[in-house]
Amino acid sequence: QQMHFQEICVRRLGSGFEITCMSWDPTSSDAGARIAIGTRDKIVQVLVLNTNSQLQAVFSVRLDNTVPKSVAFADDRGVYAFGLYDGNFIKLNGDDGTVVKEYTCKSVIGHAAVNQKRGVFVVDNAADGFTLYRLDGNEEPVRTFVTAPPSVSVPKQVAFGEEGRLIVGGSDNGSVYVFERKTGKLLDTLRHSNGGLVQTIAVGIEFLPRIRY
């Protein structure tokens, strides 16, 4: 039997600008799922999808100079936003969207991923690979996971694997890079194709046995 997704809710957000990023809160309660959304016009907003499948606004804020490229929820219900062009890392209060913390990373941000357990985040730096920072630190990076120099400047997704022990990211040369987070060592290069963009990746539990140490 063929399965189909059923639309349960649809809503136009703000002025209808491009949605650049989206995330959901895994700690959401039974009262509803919290969803964070960033848009091209520098807006970050949080909504709750309630038990009646209706979206309710929690807050909506316009960032001063930052186009959000990635958003993620913090353990304390706050929201992290990562700036595409200015490389800003911003933490927003989860109730009203006020800025709790802000600093500028050493690069633009093509994509970002957060690992709360390890207290770190990693970004696609769009120059020489992926750069790791501490959530409670400053603009000084922990380390950079160096890849082949990009031939085109496009965002490439990066993710944590194996409970934060691995850094996995795409490329513009058909490869997926797998690094050890703690040492920065390149563990594997997975060949997706002989060339071309690998902009979107996902890491799941079935990925783990494939890693060669």
Side-chain angles (χ1 to χ4, degrees), residues 11 13 25 28 32-37 44-50 54-61 73 77-79 92-98:
R11 175 172 169 178
L13 299 176
D25 186 357
S28 298
R34 296 205 318 153
I35 302 169
I37 295 169
V44 173
Q45 55 186 308
V46 171
L47 306 105
V48 172
L49 182 66
N50 64 25
Q54 297 297 313
L55 284 171
Q56 298 176 322
V58 177
F59 71 77
S60 177
V61 295
F73 282 97
R77 294 176 58 83
V79 177
L92 304 173
N93 181 287
D95 295 322
D96 58 15
T98 55

Side-chain angles (χ1 to χ4, degrees), residues 7 9 11-12 30-31 35 42 45 51 70 84-85 122 129 151 153 164 169 171 178 185 188 190 202 207:
E7 181 183 283
C9 180
R11 175 172 169 178
R12 184 181 179 88
D30 293 338
I35 302 169
K42 306 174 185 176
Q45 55 186 308
T51 53
S70 296
L84 172 59
Y85 302 110
V122 62
S151 57
S153 182
S171 73
V178 183
K185 179 182 178 182
D188 209 345
L190 308 179
F207 179 86

Side-chain angles (χ1 to χ4, degrees), residues 130-143:
F130 311 103
T131 305
L132 189 72
Y133 295 86
R134 299 192 187 282
L135 289 170
D136 61 355
N138 52 30
E139 65 272 11
E140 291 302 317
V142 177
R143 67 177 47 87

Side-chain angles (χ1 to χ4, degrees), residues 9 33 39-40 61 75 87 104 130 143 146 166 174 181:
C9 180
T39 53
R40 178 68 66 174
V61 295
D75 284 346
T104 302
F130 311 103
R143 67 177 47 87
V146 179
L166 303 178
R181 175 192 56 81

Side-chain angles (χ1 to χ4, degrees), residues 65-67 82-88 90 102 104-105 107-109:
N65 300 298
T66 299
V67 176
F82 301 87
L84 172 59
Y85 302 110
D86 57 8
N88 269 7
I90 302 171
E102 180 176 4
T104 302
C105 298
S107 69
V108 300
I109 296 177

